[in-house]
Amino acid sequence: MTVRVTGKLVTPTGVIRQGCVEIVGDRIRAVAEYPSVRDGHWIVPGFVDMHTHGGGGHTFTTGDADSAREAAAFHLRHGTTTLLASLVSSPFAVMREATTAYRPLVESGVLAGIHFEGPYLSADRCGAQNPEFLRDPSTDELAELIELGGGAIRMVTLAPERDGALEAIKLLVSRGVVAAVGHTDATWEQTRAALTAGASVGTHLFNGMRPVHHREPGPVVALLDAPNVVCELVADGVHLHDGMLRFAHSVAGPERAALITDAMAAAGMPDGEYELGGQAVTVADGVARLSRDGAIAGSTLTMDAALRHAVASGIALPDACRMVATTPARAIGLGDQVGALRTGLRADLVVMDDDLNVLRVMRAGTWVE
């Protein structure tokens, strides 16, 4: 059966104002001009969130498969057709349990993989990470988790200044796992060493990092300056000033800047009291902060809201669409499967009105109810 979706298409090469995406089964068969279309909706690629901890009142951080399934479904309704389940710093037992619980969800396509944000992070830049669980990287732990996951583990964030970090990065990369630099007090030189070892992602750039100084540029400059590094950005107006968001986009370009939500369970939920990695979180006016010290504790963002915010900040829609789909898909090794309106890729797309509100979502050729 052939399905045709018509409207204003945002493709890897630009906007087709009168266009059609032709879908057969779960694949895109053709993307082309369709002159009879008049004033159609925006058709953009399904969003790819490479860093999210939960949403809709559900979390990925506890390793509970039912909760993970519900969190993924929540984000799918907001246009995220591909996502990684991100955990926070945890005891090794929890990491093992989550890997075992989420492997079937990855194999069935509910999740695109697991992202361990920690526990191999800097105590000085831990942010909302639980300091009780922070420790030096262990290649033994990582090797065991990779074996247990059977391909489910897709990314690990660590601080390159910790003892054993470079060996851990080399192990991850050799096993096909993305190594990301984040929650770090590393110098420019230490960050460059991590990139030489194979790290290729900067976790929520600027946040949880040693700040830039003109005599000590630190990790931010090293990551922005590296041609093979994708830099995550949280476009919610809280994690980053819009001027800094535009600056990062101007330096890295849409091919190296990826929007993420860094969402926690409170995304899509009322203000109130929540939990993240064993720590109490208070959400007020949609902003999540640790109850004990006010540190930003993830976000309540969804990817459609991130897209709208990026465009409102002055980033052109085609660039913003690359940043929410094409670039993160490539960063986590899925660029040949998802992330663009392109022939041969999985038929993931989002229909949006002129205000970029989600109207319909298609995943793998099927409309989401």
Side-chain angles (χ1 to χ4, degrees), residues 79-160:
T80 298
T81 51
T82 301
L83 58 72
L84 299 186
S86 299
L87 283 88
V88 291
S89 296
S90 309
F92 185 57
V94 173
M95 299 170 77
R96 281 182 51 88
E97 291 165 6
T99 301
T100 300
Y102 293 168
R103 177 174 175 172
L105 298 184
V106 176
E107 292 172 344
S108 66
V110 173
L111 305 174
I114 299 166
H115 165 216
F116 287 115
E117 186 184 13
Y120 315 123
L121 307 174
S122 165
D124 292 331
R125 304 290 175 186
C126 64
Q129 298 283 334
N130 194 328
E132 178 183 347
F133 302 133
L134 301 182
R135 55 189 184 274
D136 289 333
S138 165
T139 53
D140 288 341
E141 286 185 358
L142 289 170
E144 184 174 342
L145 292 170
I146 292 168
E147 188 67 27
L148 190 63
I153 297 173
R154 194 160 284 273
M155 186 163 72
V156 175
T157 296
L158 45 72

Side-chain angles (χ1 to χ4, degrees), residues 70-331:
E70 292 296 328
F74 165 79
H75 284 290
L76 178 60
R77 293 192 292 272
H78 286 271
T80 298
T81 51
T82 301
L83 58 72
L84 299 186
S86 299
L87 283 88
V88 291
S89 296
S90 309
F92 185 57
V94 173
M95 299 170 77
R96 281 182 51 88
E97 291 165 6
T99 301
T100 300
Y102 293 168
R103 177 174 175 172
L105 298 184
V106 176
E107 292 172 344
S108 66
V110 173
L111 305 174
I114 299 166
H115 165 216
F116 287 115
E117 186 184 13
Y120 315 123
L121 307 174
S122 165
D124 292 331
R125 304 290 175 186
C126 64
Q129 298 283 334
N130 194 328
E132 178 183 347
F133 302 133
L134 301 182
R135 55 189 184 274
D136 289 333
S138 165
T139 53
D140 288 341
E141 286 185 358
L142 289 170
E144 184 174 342
L145 292 170
I146 292 168
E147 188 67 27
L148 190 63
I153 297 173
R154 194 160 284 273
M155 186 163 72
V156 175
T157 296
L158 45 72
E161 71 272 23
R162 295 209 70 136
D163 290 344
L166 298 186
E167 291 77 9
I169 291 170
K170 291 173 184 176
L171 170 68
L172 291 168
V173 174
S174 72
R175 300 293 295 273
V177 179
V178 176
V181 172
H183 287 281
T184 175
D185 198 44
T187 63
W188 184 89
E189 291 80 7
Q190 288 170 322
T191 307
R192 291 286 299 176
L195 303 183
T196 300
S200 58
V201 166
T203 294
H204 45 51
L205 194 75
F206 300 105
N207 299 113
M209 291 185 179
R210 176 194 290 245
V212 176
H213 187 279
H214 57 284
R215 285 190 293 272
E216 172 42 66
V220 171
V221 174
L223 293 164
L224 276 176
D225 191 45
N228 65 323
V229 170
V230 170
C231 298
E232 296 179 350
L233 301 164
V234 187
D236 63 352
V238 176
H239 283 75
L240 296 175
H241 187 282
D242 285 353
M244 193 61 82
L245 176 65
R246 290 195 303 272
F247 169 75
H249 164 261
S250 71
V251 174
E255 67 279 359
R256 290 205 304 112
L259 300 187
I260 61 167
T261 63
D262 196 17
M264 59 164 302
M269 300 296 288
D271 287 354
E273 302 302 315
Y274 295 87
E275 182 269 344
L276 181 67
Q279 300 184 102
V281 173
T282 300
V283 177
D285 297 324
V287 179
R289 297 183 181 275
L290 287 185
S291 303
R292 61 177 168 81
D293 64 7
I296 295 175
S299 83
T300 61
L301 194 61
T302 53
M303 285 295 270
D304 57 325
L307 177 68
R308 289 191 293 271
H309 191 99
V311 171
S313 78
I315 296 173
L317 179 60
D319 279 7
C321 285
R322 290 185 69 178
M323 294 164 70
V324 296
T326 315
T327 298
R330 179 175 53 80

